Amino acid sequence: MGIDIVHKKDRKVHRKEPKSQNVYLRLLVKLYRFLARRTTGGNFNQVILKRLFMSRQNRPALSLARIVRQMKSRPDKTVVVVGTVTDDKRIFEVPKLKVCALRVTEGARSRIVKAGGSVITFEQLAVESPLGQNTVLLQGRRTAREANRHFGAPGLPNSHAKPFVRLRSRNHEMARGRRKSRAYKA
């Protein structure tokens, strides 16, 4: 009697295509799949392709302020964001920028164009710099989601996890384990 192979860990969990059925996204995937296969010299196109497959949670938005801060030391490079570029009212002067993104909000677009910059698409980027020459790949912070604040065990010593409570008061998760008079204080 032979011993069978264990099949419970067979499933490979990484995307080979986007979940979205968006026609334009799928066309971009087709283009960058070709570029990733056919170009040599760096893995710029492979990274773009991998990020095009990602879920929206893994493609967080990037604010104009963060872009401006990152581009201070690299004035004439193209910013590449596989995601959304959003406006930021906290900054007053926007320098001349060249931005390539999947989506740019109206406010951000108008401010970039007003400053003499330009917003290009990924097809235009593929024509201008197929190998990613003079580009800077940027990403938004994935841990900026409000949900991330709740990760961990709230109430434990030195844990800064946010509890799921309606409001923060003496009556809400502030009794047992929080005060000496109620059993113990952790």
Side-chain angles (χ1 to χ4, degrees):
M1 194 172 135
I3 299 166
D4 197 9
I5 302 162
V6 179
H7 288 292
K8 65 181 177 186
K9 290 187 174 70
D10 279 0
R11 188 167 150 259
K12 300 273 187 294
V13 190
H14 68 272
R15 291 188 177 186
K16 292 184 175 66
E17 60 176 1
K19 273 247 175 89
S20 165
Q21 294 302 315
N22 185 330
V23 186
Y24 300 106
L25 181 68
R26 294 213 163 234
L27 281 170
L28 278 183
V29 166
K30 227 175 221 187
L31 170 64
Y32 276 91
R33 195 166 257 156
F34 170 80
L35 286 171
R37 191 180 74 244
R38 296 284 295 175
T39 56
T40 53
N43 60 349
F44 176 80
N45 292 314
Q46 275 98 318
V47 173
I48 298 281
L49 182 65
K50 188 182 76 186
R51 289 185 190 178
L52 285 171
F53 294 164
M54 286 180 181
S55 61
R56 269 181 60 185
Q57 222 173 77
N58 290 323
R59 288 189 281 110
L62 190 65
S63 78
L64 209 50
R66 197 172 280 268
I67 291 175
V68 169
R69 198 163 65 237
Q70 292 289 338
M71 300 310 286
K72 257 197 186 97
S73 55
R74 325 173 170 98
D76 35 283
K77 285 188 184 284
T78 307
V79 183
V80 180
V81 182
V82 185
T84 308
V85 172
T86 55
D87 192 9
D88 201 330
K89 294 279 189 274
R90 295 170 298 183
I91 53 162
F92 304 112
E93 282 94 39
V94 178
K96 188 180 175 184
L97 292 169
K98 190 173 191 182
V99 179
C100 170
L102 278 181
R103 191 169 153 267
V104 181
T105 62
E106 275 305 309
R109 187 184 295 273
S110 65
R111 287 184 78 178
I112 291 166
V113 173
K114 198 175 175 183
S118 59
V119 178
I120 63 169
T121 61
F122 274 94
E123 299 96 281
Q124 289 164 311
L125 181 77
V127 174
E128 283 178 28
S129 55
L131 301 174
Q133 313 94 309
N134 297 321
T135 59
V136 180
L137 255 173
L138 296 179
Q139 270 183 321
R141 277 175 49 229
R142 292 183 197 186
T143 55
R145 284 194 314 138
E146 206 276 333
N148 281 64
R149 293 180 187 183
H150 297 282
F151 293 170
L156 287 185
N158 303 323
S159 165
H160 297 290
K162 185 179 176 183
F164 289 104
V165 289
R166 280 170 300 156
L167 60 143
R168 197 188 154 101
S169 72
R170 189 177 51 79
N171 304 330
H172 294 87
E173 296 189 15
M174 284 293 172
R176 190 170 187 274
R178 286 294 196 171
R179 286 181 287 166
K180 247 318 191 229
S181 62
R182 302 284 179 270
Y184 71 99
K185 182 171 184 340

